[in-house]
Amino acid sequence: MTSNFLSALAGKRPEITPVWFMRQAGRSLPEYRKVRAGTSMLESCLIPELAAEITAQPVRRHGVDAAVYFSDITVPLKLSGVGVEIKPGVGPVMEKAYRSAADIQELIAHEPGDASAITAGVKMACAELDVPVLAFAGAPFTLAAYLVEGKPSRDHLAARTLMHSDPESWFALANWCAKISIEFLKAQIEGGARAFQLFDSWAGSLSRGDYVRYCAPSSALILGHNFTVPSIHFGLGTASMLEDFALHTNCVGIDYRTDLSEAIVRLRRAQQVSGSTNPLVVQGNIDPALLACSPEILDPHVDAILAAGQAADAHIVNLGHGVPKDADPDVLTRLVAKVHES
Ligand code: CP3
């Protein structure tokens, strides 16, 4: 299988620019809501046939160049026996918040658990699709933010307090999160996933110093693990730590708040300083808010991102965060065609 997505990840600019969307599987698609009806989010992730079907839906509809596997960053928590559910419209909610040293000792005693349903689902998706399946996992800080808070939060205050007040417990927690995310990725790669993305969605609530000291080491355990497939490293609101995000990965995901041209200039400079000869590959960063604008507004924005991406060795087009729930699927289909024709 030749894949423009995999060529780009390898640093070779393909003739046709690859495009996929974070959160393309689910959410805005009517065919998703139909097959998911009556099954909870985490339950559906553990039914291989259903997860494979949802993974394939956006590829059939939009013609995207990669199929992100339908699952959730909290699935490895559930597989390890931790009490978690995804409340519609709220997000991941834990049975309890893990805050004290004793809570964390209790948590990290959980073993990763059986991920064979994930491997089976990825296998089914791979058998159907002629584009690569992309595995993913949550970065330790983003997972730990849910575990320590017990629920979604705006500024992740309790997690940030813990890393300073009890670094020993914090590092034990972050390393355990890395361990379960590694097992989750292994299960997907064993099923045939050809690349993976590490999501650090909440890293933007950290100072660069705190990210580097308390979170980068456990993320590096995942990115630096000897997986056989390339990686993409994405964080939201991470402009202050872009150079740190570029370590140990093949491709940096740029969020919508960061200027793509500026990001490429900075990443090039960091490569020159370190003497790196790796290709510079970026992913991003269409502002999801503009999907609801008229083509007269959206199209020039996309053109500008395509032009900016030329300064990298290769560019994978994506949004600068996930597809909004109420996005019009036809806008995404048109966007894929536009990127492919560019
Ligand atoms: O299409 C894809 O990208 C693949 C599947 C995927 C889901 N979650 C499915 C999902 C992926 C890659 C994720 C990752 C994820 N999950 C992240 C990182 C990416 C990001 O968006 O920043 C985070 C932070 C989570 C945790 C999570 N799960 C949240 C915040 C929510 C939203 C809650 C809501 O309803 O608004 C979920 C639920 C979730 N994960 C849904 C889907 C399709 C919605 C569930 C539904 O449709 O009922």
Side-chain angles (χ1 to χ4, degrees):
M1 168 174 48
T2 58
S3 152
N4 53 0
F5 170 75
L6 292 176
S7 298
L9 262 186
K12 296 185 206 89
R13 183 178 286 279
E15 238 167 74
I16 296 178
T17 304
V19 53
W20 70 281
F21 304 113
M22 293 186 268
R23 294 284 184 93
Q24 68 188 19
R27 294 205 145 214
S28 66
L29 296 186
E31 58 269 38
Y32 163 72
R33 290 195 285 269
K34 193 167 159 214
V35 296
R36 258 281 323 275
T39 314
S40 79
M41 173 63 198
L42 290 179
E43 250 183 290
S44 23
C45 295
L46 299 179
I47 304 171
E49 296 76 9
L50 185 55
E53 163 60 23
I54 298 171
T55 301
Q57 284 176 346
V59 183
R60 290 187 206 124
R61 184 191 263 263
H62 305 307
V64 281
D65 298 289
V68 60
Y69 185 62
F70 176 77
S71 199
D72 193 78
I73 59 166
T74 56
V75 165
L77 298 176
K78 186 170 170 75
L79 292 175
S80 76
V82 171
V84 54
E85 70 173 303
I86 291 183
K87 292 223 165 112
V90 177
V93 177
M94 317 303 305
E95 205 170 78
K96 65 177 265 189
Y98 296 89
R99 296 201 177 173
S100 69
D103 290 338
I104 288 164
Q105 282 308 314
E106 176 205 319
L107 176 74
I108 68 174
H110 287 81
E111 289 300 327
D114 175 15
S116 54
I118 307 299
T119 304
V122 176
K123 266 191 193 151
M124 286 177 200
C126 290
E128 170 173 347
L129 293 169
D130 56 9
V131 296
V133 170
L134 177 67
F136 73 91
F141 175 69
T142 290
L143 275 182
Y146 287 115
L147 288 159
V148 179
E149 304 287 343
K151 58 183 193 308
S153 86
R154 185 188 285 272
D155 47 13
H156 315 111
L157 210 57
R160 292 192 290 115
T161 298
L162 179 70
M163 60 180 73
H164 290 275
S165 63
D166 183 357
E168 197 181 323
S169 293
W170 169 260
F171 284 117
L173 169 64
N175 289 344
W176 181 82
C177 290
K179 178 168 94 173
I180 61 160
S181 280
I182 287 172
E183 292 307 314
F184 184 47
L185 289 170
K186 273 192 200 160
Q188 296 170 77
I189 294 164
E190 194 189 323
R194 305 281 299 275
F196 74 88
Q197 176 158 319
L198 189 65
F199 279 97
D200 209 346
S201 304
W202 310 139
S205 68
L206 296 164
S207 67
R208 180 183 176 206
D210 283 352
Y211 174 74
V212 169
R213 176 154 184 212
Y214 294 107
C215 303
S218 51
S219 283
L221 290 177
I222 304 174
L223 292 166
H225 187 85
N226 58 348
F227 291 117
T228 50
V229 301
S231 67
I232 303 167
H233 192 193
F234 173 79
L236 184 64
T238 46
S240 75
M241 46 190 98
L242 211 51
E243 290 83 357
D244 309 297
F245 262 68
L247 300 173
H248 315 292
T249 190
N250 302 84
C251 173
V252 189
I254 309 296
D255 73 89
Y256 68 91
R257 296 179 210 161
T258 308
D259 180 84
L260 186 58
S261 296
E262 237 172 76
I264 295 170
V265 168
R266 274 175 54 187
L267 293 172
R268 271 280 182 232
R269 199 180 305 134
Q271 282 195 332
Q272 282 159 358
V273 168
S274 71
S276 162
T277 53
N278 293 337
L280 175 54
V281 185
V282 291
Q283 176 176 280
N285 67 343
I286 298 169
D287 185 343
L290 269 65
L291 296 176
C293 293
S294 66
E296 289 71 35
I297 296 169
L298 176 59
D299 287 4
H301 174 67
V302 175
D303 289 337
I305 283 167
L306 286 164
Q310 292 292 325
D313 293 310
H315 177 205
I316 297 166
V317 173
N318 204 316
L319 303 179
H321 196 197
V323 175
K325 241 201 295 286
D326 54 1
D328 176 354
D330 291 343
V331 171
L332 296 178
T333 307
R334 198 181 66 81
L335 204 52
V336 172
K338 176 173 168 58
V339 171
H340 285 166
E341 281 157 16
S342 67

